[in-house]
Amino acid sequence: MKLNGGLVSMEEEYVFAQAAQRARRFAAAHPDARLISLGIGDVQGPLCPAATRAMARAVREQGRRRSFHGYGPEQGYQFLRQAISSELTRRGAPVPARDIFISDGAKSDLGGLLDLIAPGGQALLCDPTYPAVRDDCLIRGLRVNTVAGSPSDGFLPMPPPGSLAPDVIYLCSPANPTGAVYTRAQLAAWVDYARQRESLLLFDAAYAPFIGDESLPRSIYEIPGAEECAVELGSFSKLAGFTGTRCGYTVLPAALCCRGVPLQALWRRRQAARFNGVAYVVQRGAAAVLGPNGRRQTERALAVYRANARLLESTLTEAGIPHWGGLHAPYLWLACPQGLSSWGFFDFLLEYGWLVGTPGVGFGPAGEGYFRLSAFGDPDTVELAAERFLHALDYLR
Ligand code: MLT
């Protein structure tokens, strides 16, 4: 057997697993420490009543012969595809239901979409970036090129000059980990770049529901020409607390072709080989999230996370720590104080604040010296975390 070299080359643990390991070791050595996690971006739940009611109804249907559903349509049930299409259209990005593929979350499809690219191809990623994407590229045997973000561009890197013609480009806006959001003009520059080079642009919109400013784009399809180069990934995880329930979607427009081959047909074929769809019960829950009651209830939960992010943002301002994100995103990205390394600050916060965050270097080399805090938490806990954060900093002075 010849092993997959890309997989073998990923010698380090996934950053969230490493952080959890260190936190567990600390907790074992300090049994009195009540740790608070502002690390992995996991929601607090619960699912909204509209979703749980729809799922309960769907479970009852599954328990009766006449309403039972076996294998569903590979692309997803029409009721959910139509609901997503209406939602995107309402938000200014008209996407027909036929271009929507239901997934078990954006992460699975991000990796899966690389099956469209020949091994040995070139990928272009921002640095820092969502670490699963770099791993996906390595597993697929792609060569990874990066364009680094920095304080000078607000951690919103733009297309690099030069002759690189990437097969695939990955962008996330609002970005994980920095919480920075591209403007329309900036996304238009990326769309132009992708079209000129015939690159596939993977646009991760998992955090789009956090954008509260109408002038900022929530979908790549708000940019003219994007339907000819871009695939968009959406998720119910952060929108509606589906991290453990699993449902997302991929928009792959009919107009998207590579050398005359329509990618939609290829993706449909790939999905038929690799995927058996998302549970009927879950799809019913996701569709209910997009109904009038679901939207209202979900908005209330999002408002809590937004308020948490604002609190963390003002805490960092009070501490005089340079930071980004948090305004239209559930993440805050900060420069580690006193020139500490990312892991150095992780250990410091663990010891002096009993707080767990995510070291910026886990998102790429340009993240060294930075740190990410997540605003997914219940408000009392986030408030306590903010107090502990400020208190811990006293030990650095
Ligand atoms: C994160 O914390 O970056 C996310 O929760 C990870 C994910 O969505 O897979």
Side-chain angles (χ1 to χ4, degrees), residues 55-330:
M55 290 166 82
R57 248 191 329 268
V59 167
R60 286 195 294 276
E61 283 180 53
Q62 290 296 73
R64 290 193 289 259
R65 187 174 302 278
R66 68 191 146 76
S67 53
F68 171 76
H69 292 77
Y71 287 126
E74 280 134 17
Q75 226 177 303
Y77 284 96
Q78 188 61 19
F79 62 78
L80 179 54
R81 295 166 66 206
Q82 189 52 56
I84 294 167
S85 162
S86 305
E87 177 68 8
L88 289 172
T89 305
R90 193 178 66 82
R91 293 206 244 115
V95 167
R98 66 165 187 278
D99 291 354
I100 295 170
F101 294 72
I102 305 304
S103 70
D104 63 354
K107 189 179 195 175
S108 313
D109 272 8
L110 272 172
L113 283 158
L114 299 184
D115 286 351
L116 295 170
I117 318 279
Q122 304 271 358
L124 178 60
L125 313 182
C126 297
D127 178 11
T129 199
Y130 177 37
V133 180
R134 182 188 304 265
D135 291 355
D136 288 333
C137 291
L138 294 176
I139 293 170
R140 182 65 190 151
L142 302 184
R143 277 171 284 171
V144 175
N145 305 272
T146 56
V147 52
S150 68
S152 64
D153 57 24
F155 288 97
L156 289 167
M158 294 305 292
S163 59
L164 176 71
D167 296 281
V168 62
I169 300 165
Y170 169 75
L171 288 185
C172 181
S173 179
N176 182 6
T178 62
V181 189
Y182 280 111
T183 63
R184 272 201 176 76
Q186 288 171 321
L187 282 187
W190 274 108
V191 165
D192 280 353
Y193 177 86
R195 289 175 76 192
Q196 278 158 16
R197 286 162 171 77
E198 299 188 355
S199 311
L200 177 66
L201 176 53
L202 299 185
F203 186 76
D204 183 347
Y207 299 97
F210 288 86
I211 295 181
D213 175 346
E214 291 299 313
S215 73
L216 291 169
R218 291 177 171 205
S219 166
I220 194 73
Y221 303 115
E222 293 176 40
I223 311 300
E227 68 287 353
E228 288 171 19
C229 66
V231 170
E232 179 164 300
L233 298 107
S235 169
F236 287 86
S237 286
K238 316 294 156 118
L239 165 68
F242 271 52
T243 50
T245 306
R246 307 309 305 155
C247 195
Y249 59 90
T250 291
V251 181
L252 205 161
L256 188 42
C257 293
C258 173
R259 298 197 184 89
V261 180
L263 295 191
Q264 201 179 79
L266 283 190
W267 181 242
R268 195 176 295 116
R269 184 65 190 86
R270 185 269 180 204
Q271 290 296 79
R274 288 271 179 99
F275 190 56
N276 259 336
V278 174
Y280 170 71
V281 172
V282 170
Q283 293 193 55
R284 278 289 179 200
V289 163
L290 300 179
N293 289 339
R295 278 223 302 273
R296 222 177 12 255
Q297 293 159 4
T298 302
E299 207 29 67
R300 278 203 287 271
L302 287 176
V304 170
Y305 298 140
R306 286 199 193 100
N308 289 343
R310 277 198 302 278
L311 174 69
L312 291 173
E313 204 274 331
S314 58
T315 304
L316 293 170
T317 304
E318 184 181 336
I321 294 179
H323 58 276
W324 297 264
L327 210 51
H328 300 291

Side-chain angles (χ1 to χ4, degrees), residues 128 149-152 155 177-178 321-324 332-337 339-346 357-373:
S150 68
S152 64
F155 288 97
T178 62
I321 294 179
H323 58 276
W324 297 264
L332 286 110
W333 182 248
L334 58 116
C336 298
L340 283 174
S341 70
S342 297
W343 280 110
F345 191 56
F346 178 91
T358 311
V361 71
F363 299 94
E368 179 54 288
Y370 293 90
F371 201 77
R372 193 192 79 173
L373 296 176

